[in-house]
Amino acid sequence: MACPICDRPAEARYRPFCSKRCADRDLGKWLTGGYAIPSDDPDDAENLERELRDAPDGKPH
């Protein structure tokens, strides 16, 4: 199996990645929204605005 970040062979310790560095890069993409699927649906934006407005601390969760 090849590392999905750099295409080197995967190491059992970090599977499916080859190293901690590649695993951390992948985690960084998840945390910053790098894997998010964009939406053109205007309802999504309206729902988010409503959740932010109604949340007591200004966060939707």
Side-chain angles (χ1 to χ4, degrees):
M1 171 183 262
C3 175
I5 301 296
C6 70
D7 214 26
R8 287 187 278 186
E11 289 287 326
R13 182 175 179 186
Y14 301 107
R15 184 164 283 173
F17 307 102
C18 67
S19 66
K20 183 173 180 350
R21 180 179 181 271
C22 283
D24 288 345
R25 286 184 60 198
D26 183 71
L27 178 61
K29 284 184 179 182
W30 278 106
L31 294 175
T32 60
Y35 290 128
I37 299 171
S39 173
D40 293 332
D41 186 358
D43 290 338
D44 289 342
E46 290 174 11
N47 290 340
L48 178 58
E49 287 176 11
R50 185 173 39 255
E51 287 179 25
L52 287 171
R53 184 180 58 246
D54 296 343
D57 60 357
K59 297 179 183 175
H61 297 107

